[in-house]
């Protein structure tokens, strides 16, 4: 069965058409600048990448262009919509309601809408994508795969904040965690690589991308994760601060004459390695170049980032009373050898025998980074959220 995987943002929409049985990607692309003007990038596997400007006042036009491209007589990969058996939608927040993926019904859409206030930038856009697909592909089953679902196994002691209990009762203020599809996919893959049962392993996954999070996966279940009620908590990220002393908010508001919205804007968009580097860049490729050219702030940004990752690994080794394997994934985790070396330089005490030579220059490929006999094994495992969504969708629709 071919599954169309949709990751819908407020002004963009990424898609992949995957044969969910063979796991081959048939075509992929992105619609950008939806609601502004509109641009479609489309690439059939083995074919040329095409870019075209198309008017996309809403997501419905964007999805129509995706369907047109996929079914195009010359460059398409299917003859008609009948060859698309299901659509898998990435949905960011499923709150406490969804501990696994679900087939989308009116009831499910209502529940996703109820989570809007927990992810105001993401969930409304995810819903718009679902409704646009429903309109253009009536009768095709749709599945929602939630970023939060994998973390619903966390125990209370990990998800409760030290805040008045009534905030949890009244408003569901708690840790939810994100990137669950990636943490789940990568931790399972690690168990396959190590050839040990998934339900008997203590794994720490470091998903280091534009947004970054670390998860402790014990016996196949997420038991703690660094992102919280929102994706702002935890690691230092591209432009997000991660953990800070909450009192800094009032202090900076006073000094800079900012209201709460202004402070949140700083924490979400002007902080992280972007802020630390003096607004040089949030991209680790730029930071690496600058650091290699002697830029002190770029080096500070990369070192603060790596140190925070190492601290989370230490705390999750404690949370699980041990660790068998540590996995780096996502844009930075898969590609940045400096960050990986820095992080692992703090992990000797755990029994990580890191192989600097293997790590050097390694980009985007699955590889073990520890020497034979290392007590704790470290890997790079590329994530594949689209494939994970296609698998979930196939399993539910079958
Ligand atoms: P993601 O959110 O997983 O797509 O990751 C995107 C981030 O990965 C970018 O902002 C970069 O910081 C980082 N990245 C991508 N490629 C490289 C690379 N070759 N070296 C270092 N960092 C990279």
């Amino acid at each position: 069965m071919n599954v169309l995987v949709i990751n819908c943002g407020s002004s963009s929409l990424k898609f992949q058409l995957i044969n969910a049985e063979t796991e081959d990607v048939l075509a992929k692309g992105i619609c950008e600048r939806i609601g502004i003007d509109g641009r479609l990038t489309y690439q059939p596997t083995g074919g040329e990448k095409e870019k075209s400007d198309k008017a996309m006042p809403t997501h419905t036009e964007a999805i129509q262009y995706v369907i047109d491209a996929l079914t195009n007589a010359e460059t398409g990969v299917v003859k008609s919509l009948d060859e698309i058996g299901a659509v898998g939608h990435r949905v960011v927040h499923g709150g406490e309601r969804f501990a696994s993926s679900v087939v989308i019904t009116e009831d499910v859409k209502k529940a996703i809408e109820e989570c809007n206030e927990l992810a105001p930038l993401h969930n409304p856009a995810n819903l718009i994508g679902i409704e646009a697909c429903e309109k253009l592909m009536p009768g095709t089953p749709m599945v929602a795969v939630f970023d939060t679902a994998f973390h619903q196994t966390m125990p209370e002691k990990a998800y409760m904040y030290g805040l008045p209990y009534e905030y949890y009762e009244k408003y569901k203020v708690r840790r939810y965690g994100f990137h669950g599809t990636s943490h789940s996919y990568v931790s399972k893959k690690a168990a396959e690589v190590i050839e040990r049962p998934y339900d008997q392993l203590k794994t720490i996954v470091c998903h280091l991308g534009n947004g970054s999070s670390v998860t402790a996966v014990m016996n196949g279940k997420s038991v703690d994760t660094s992102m919280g009620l929102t994706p702002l908590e935890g690691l230092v990220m591209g432009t997000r601060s991660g953990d800070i002393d909450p009192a800094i908010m009032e202090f900076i508001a006073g000094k800079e004459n900012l209201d709460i919205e202004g402070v949140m804007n700083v924490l979400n968009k002007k902080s992280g390695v972007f802020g630390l580097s003096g607004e040089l860049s949030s991209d680790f490729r730029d930071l690496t170049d600058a650091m290699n050219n002697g830029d002190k702030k770029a080096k500070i940004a990369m070192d603060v980032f790596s140190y925070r990752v190492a601290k989370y690994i230490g705390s999750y080794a404690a949370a699980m009373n041990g660790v068998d394997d540590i996995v780096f994934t996502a844009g930075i985790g898969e590609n940045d050898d400096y960050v990986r070396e820095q992080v692992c330089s703090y992990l000797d005490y755990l029994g990580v025998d890191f192989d600097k030579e293997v790590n050097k220059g390694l980009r985007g490929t699955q590889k073990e980074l520890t020497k034979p006999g290392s007590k704790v094994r470290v890997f790079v495992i590329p994530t594949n959220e689209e494939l994970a969504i296609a698998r979930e969708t196939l399993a539910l629709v079958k």
Side-chain angles (χ1 to χ4, degrees):
M1 178 197 293
N2 295 328
V3 173
L4 179 61
V5 176
I6 299 275
N7 181 355
C8 195
S10 55
S11 67
S12 71
L13 184 155
K14 286 190 214 149
F15 64 93
Q16 278 194 15
L17 187 65
I18 298 176
N19 179 326
E21 272 111 13
T22 62
E23 304 201 333
D24 291 326
V25 177
L26 305 180
K28 61 182 173 184
I30 182 167
C31 300
E32 293 166 288
R33 301 177 60 85
I34 301 168
I36 306 164
D37 36 33
R39 171 177 300 162
L40 169 72
T41 306
Y42 168 75
Q43 183 162 32
T45 300
E48 294 276 300
K49 192 188 266 188
E50 297 167 18
K51 285 188 183 199
S52 47
D53 292 332
K54 309 257 187 200
M56 298 177 186
T58 72
H59 289 73
T60 307
E61 289 82 11
I63 288 175
Q64 185 62 58
Y65 289 124
V66 172
I67 294 171
D68 292 347
L70 293 171
T71 56
N72 182 283
E74 278 163 30
T75 53
V77 288
V78 289
K79 286 201 191 72
S80 74
L81 273 186
D82 296 343
E83 291 180 36
I84 299 177
V87 184
H89 293 270
R90 175 187 182 213
V91 179
V92 167
H93 219 304
E96 285 192 324
R97 166 82 188 266
F98 298 106
S100 57
S101 308
V102 284
V103 174
I104 297 171
T105 61
E106 285 305 311
D107 210 34
V108 166
K109 282 197 289 180
K110 217 180 282 163
I112 294 174
E113 199 176 348
E114 279 163 21
C115 298
N116 276 2
E117 64 176 2
L118 294 171
L121 296 179
H122 297 100
N123 267 36
N126 300 154
L127 264 177
I128 289 171
I130 290 169
E131 288 182 337
C133 283
E134 284 178 337
K135 200 156 127 193
L136 297 170
M137 306 171 78
T140 306
M142 311 265 161
V143 168
V145 180
F146 300 93
D147 271 19
T148 49
F150 181 60
H151 301 301
Q152 278 298 302
T153 48
M154 278 188 289
E156 259 174 347
K157 64 185 175 193
Y159 72 68
M160 289 302 292
Y161 288 114
L163 289 169
Y165 195 83
E166 62 180 291
Y167 295 164
Y168 172 62
E169 292 176 308
K170 287 199 286 193
Y171 313 121
K172 296 280 174 228
V173 172
R174 51 159 285 178
R175 175 181 312 286
Y176 289 97
F178 298 86
H179 298 135
T181 312
S182 174
H183 287 295
S184 162
Y185 173 86
V186 166
S187 55
K188 269 190 204 125
K189 188 95 187 172
E192 276 170 38
V193 174
I194 302 178
E195 296 182 344
R196 284 182 54 188
Y198 186 46
D199 60 3
Q200 290 171 29
L201 273 178
K202 295 173 180 177
T203 303
I204 297 174
V205 180
C206 307
H207 176 110
L208 311 179
N210 239 333
S212 296
S213 65
V214 183
T215 295
V217 185
M218 188 164 161
N219 305 336
K221 293 192 165 77
S222 168
V223 292
D224 207 344
T225 190
S226 59
M227 282 180 168
L229 174 76
T230 74
L232 182 56
E233 193 183 347
L235 300 178
V236 173
M237 305 181 216
T239 61
R240 288 175 234 158
S241 65
D243 302 336
I244 58 163
D245 176 350
I248 291 173
M249 297 178 71
E250 187 195 18
F251 187 81
I252 293 299
K255 294 282 182 204
E256 296 274 316
N257 198 21
L258 293 169
D259 58 12
I260 188 75
E261 205 178 312
V263 175
M264 291 308 292
N265 188 49
V266 172
L267 298 186
N268 272 304
K269 306 220 170 108
K270 295 192 181 282
S271 301
V273 292
F274 175 73
L276 274 167
S277 66
E279 305 202 349
L280 178 75
S281 178
S282 62
D283 192 308
F284 277 64
R285 286 163 286 202
D286 300 334
L287 295 174
T288 303
D289 288 346
M291 178 180 73
N292 291 339
N293 287 323
D295 188 308
K296 278 204 178 113
K297 286 183 188 158
K299 178 163 168 33
I300 289 170
M302 301 209 31
D303 289 348
V304 169
F305 178 90
S306 308
Y307 178 65
R308 180 76 58 90
V309 176
K311 286 209 297 186
Y312 264 98
I313 291 173
S315 67
Y316 288 165
M320 297 192 287
N321 198 5
V323 53
D324 295 304
D325 55 315
I326 299 166
V327 187
F328 289 99
T329 195
I332 300 157
E334 290 166 28
N335 294 299
D336 198 307
D337 51 0
Y338 178 82
V339 165
R340 291 189 305 246
E341 183 177 331
Q342 286 300 304
V343 171
C344 290
S345 72
Y346 298 100
L347 306 179
D348 296 349
Y349 78 101
L350 281 177
V352 168
D353 192 2
F354 189 68
D355 192 329
K356 286 188 189 174
E357 289 313 308
V358 170
N359 177 58
K360 206 178 268 170
L362 183 77
R363 297 203 201 298
T365 38
Q366 187 179 306
K367 193 92 187 163
E368 176 159 6
L369 302 181
T370 33
K371 294 181 184 162
S374 180
K375 182 170 165 245
V376 174
R377 298 174 71 182
V378 178
F379 295 88
V380 169
I381 297 183
T383 192
N384 192 339
E385 287 167 284
E386 290 79 11
L387 177 59
I389 292 173
R391 283 180 183 168
E392 291 276 306
T393 305
L394 177 71
L396 279 172
V397 168
K398 240 180 171 176

